[in-house]
């Protein structure tokens, strides 16, 4: 069956970066088995023990800096470049592997490791190095007000209006490497299913909570499955054109 989509939304999670060597959160041995969310990923944690929070994100930043995009990231960049419809990647990941692979239509709904924010003046800037409670805001000169530009538990994800518009308009929704446990991202598949206008696809190692409601399910490693799935989508274009 050849199918053409006008508007593809891809939701990615930590599983797409696993084969790049970055830890996921909820897999065996994942980050949340070694750290408590309450100690490192909430506004309260940052108030109580900012040093620990800085260290946690310094480690994540260093790991991401040393990691390389894998075939799944490159395949999504290729899809965006070659597919005639719109392709938007919404990622829960805070690493920069999608952009380093070449994706441009990309929304980091949970923030970015390589950005910092000042809690005093709200300025956001790029960073490559470590931060601490001594870090100073280059804009207002405040010390101790620098935090990772990351969405913590209890905070609102970024770009939600834009993401809602894409979910409303999409005719293909693909989730890749996400456990489907953290809302609002975990509810995106339901939003698309309710509209009854979009095909839904889950790509993961195994069925995952909410995303297993998807109409099509493909189980295996993202680095293998995503390139072949993208190839399939691009083939439909070739065959439609030559029809
Ligand atoms: P999780 O760690 O919850 O889930 C990772 C998913 O990736 C699991 O469903 C695995 O089965 C799957 N997976 C692992 N390796 C894979 C591979 N090679 N190929 C395909 N799938 C693979 O990560 P997320 O769903 O991204 O938020 O977690 C969502 C949010 O929870 C994160 O953005 C983060 C976390 O707490 C914040 O920190 C705010
Ligand atoms: Zn400032």
């Amino acid at each position: 069956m050849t199918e053409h989509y006008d508007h593809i939304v891809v939701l990615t999670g930590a599983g797409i970066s696993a084969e790049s060597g970055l830890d996921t959160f909820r897999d065996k041995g994942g980050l949340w088995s070694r750290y408590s969310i309450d100690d490192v990923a909430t506004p309260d944690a940052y108030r109580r023990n900012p040093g620990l929070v800085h260290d946690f994100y310094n480690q994540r930043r260093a790991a991401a800096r040393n990691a390389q995009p894998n075939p799944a990231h490159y395949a999504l960049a290729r899809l965006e470049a070659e597919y005639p419809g719109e392709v938007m990647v919404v990622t829960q990941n805070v690493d920069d592997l999608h952009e380093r692979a070449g994706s441009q239509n990309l929304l980091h709904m949970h923030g970015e490791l390589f950005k910092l924010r000042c809690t005093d003046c709200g300025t956001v800037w790029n960073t490559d190095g470590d931060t601490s409670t001594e870090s100073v805001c280059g804009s207002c000169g405040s010390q101790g007000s620098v935090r990772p530009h990351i969405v913590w538990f209890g905070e609102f994800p970024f770009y939600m209006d834009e993401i809602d518009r894409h979910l409303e308009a999409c005719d293909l929704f693909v989730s890749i490497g996400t456990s489907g446990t953290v809302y609002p991202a975990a509810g995106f598949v339901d939003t698309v299913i309710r509209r009854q206008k979009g095909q839904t696809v889950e790509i993961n190692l195994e069925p995952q909570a909410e995303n297993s409601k998807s109409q099509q399910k493909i189980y295996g490693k993202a680095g293998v499955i995503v390139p072949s799935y993208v190839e399939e989508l691009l083939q439909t274009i070739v065959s439609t054109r030559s029809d």
Side-chain angles (χ1 to χ4, degrees):
M1 189 179 70
T2 54
E3 184 116 41
H4 171 76
Y5 300 104
D6 290 322
H7 196 135
I8 302 175
V9 173
V10 181
L11 172 69
T12 65
I16 199 171
S17 295
E19 288 155 76
S20 295
L22 297 182
D23 291 324
T24 63
F25 296 95
R26 295 174 184 79
D27 289 309
K28 201 160 176 279
L31 287 168
W32 296 154
S33 70
R34 289 181 276 139
Y35 296 88
S36 154
I37 288 177
D38 293 334
D39 288 340
V40 295
T42 68
D44 199 42
Y46 179 71
R47 270 190 295 273
R48 273 195 331 263
N49 192 346
L52 185 67
V53 176
H54 281 291
D55 285 348
F56 178 75
Y57 288 100
N58 287 341
Q59 286 173 33
R60 307 279 76 73
R61 200 176 295 116
R65 208 189 291 119
N66 292 325
Q68 300 303 326
N70 68 55
H73 297 102
Y74 285 113
L76 292 181
R78 178 177 174 223
L79 184 67
E80 180 187 326
E82 296 181 20
Y83 198 78
E86 181 170 354
V87 176
M88 172 59 70
V89 175
V90 176
T91 188
Q92 298 166 87
N93 297 346
V94 293
D95 65 55
D96 61 349
L97 299 181
H98 280 303
E99 47 270 55
R100 277 161 58 198
S103 283
Q104 292 180 5
N105 290 339
L106 173 68
L107 297 171
H108 276 282
M109 65 178 291
H110 288 168
E112 298 173 57
L113 278 173
F114 295 96
K115 285 188 178 160
L116 300 173
R117 181 164 89 239
C118 173
T119 55
D120 279 349
C121 71
T123 304
V124 175
W125 66 96
N126 294 329
T127 188
D128 198 20
D130 288 353
T131 58
S132 73
T133 52
E134 314 280 296
S135 300
V136 173
C137 168
S139 193
C140 73
S142 236
Q143 192 179 42
S145 62
V146 174
R147 62 164 278 181
H149 190 50
I150 301 278
V151 176
W152 287 326
F153 286 88
E155 297 183 317
F156 285 107
F158 299 138
Y159 308 112
M160 279 313 297
D161 288 348
E162 213 174 326
I163 292 169
D164 281 342
R165 281 199 297 275
H166 284 288
L167 293 175
E168 197 54 44
C170 75
D171 46 13
L172 174 63
F173 173 82
V174 186
S175 72
I176 304 173
T178 176
S179 58
T181 48
V182 176
Y183 286 83
F188 291 173
V189 66
D190 250 342
T191 305
V192 177
I193 290 171
R194 244 183 287 117
R195 282 179 39 243
Q196 298 187 321
K197 278 188 273 177
Q199 162 81 359
T200 47
V201 181
E202 174 186 41
I203 296 178
N204 200 302
L205 289 178
E206 52 196 34
Q208 297 295 311
E210 291 300 311
N211 291 310
S212 326
K213 296 176 181 167
S214 299
Q215 291 150 317
Q216 188 184 353
K217 308 159 212 289
I218 316 173
Y219 298 124
K221 287 187 166 191
V224 177
I225 303 287
V226 179
S228 70
Y229 180 71
V230 163
E231 186 64 44
E232 235 175 78
L233 283 176
L234 292 172
Q235 283 302 323
T236 64
I237 303 309
V238 175
S239 54
T240 310
R241 275 188 192 143
S242 59
D243 280 346

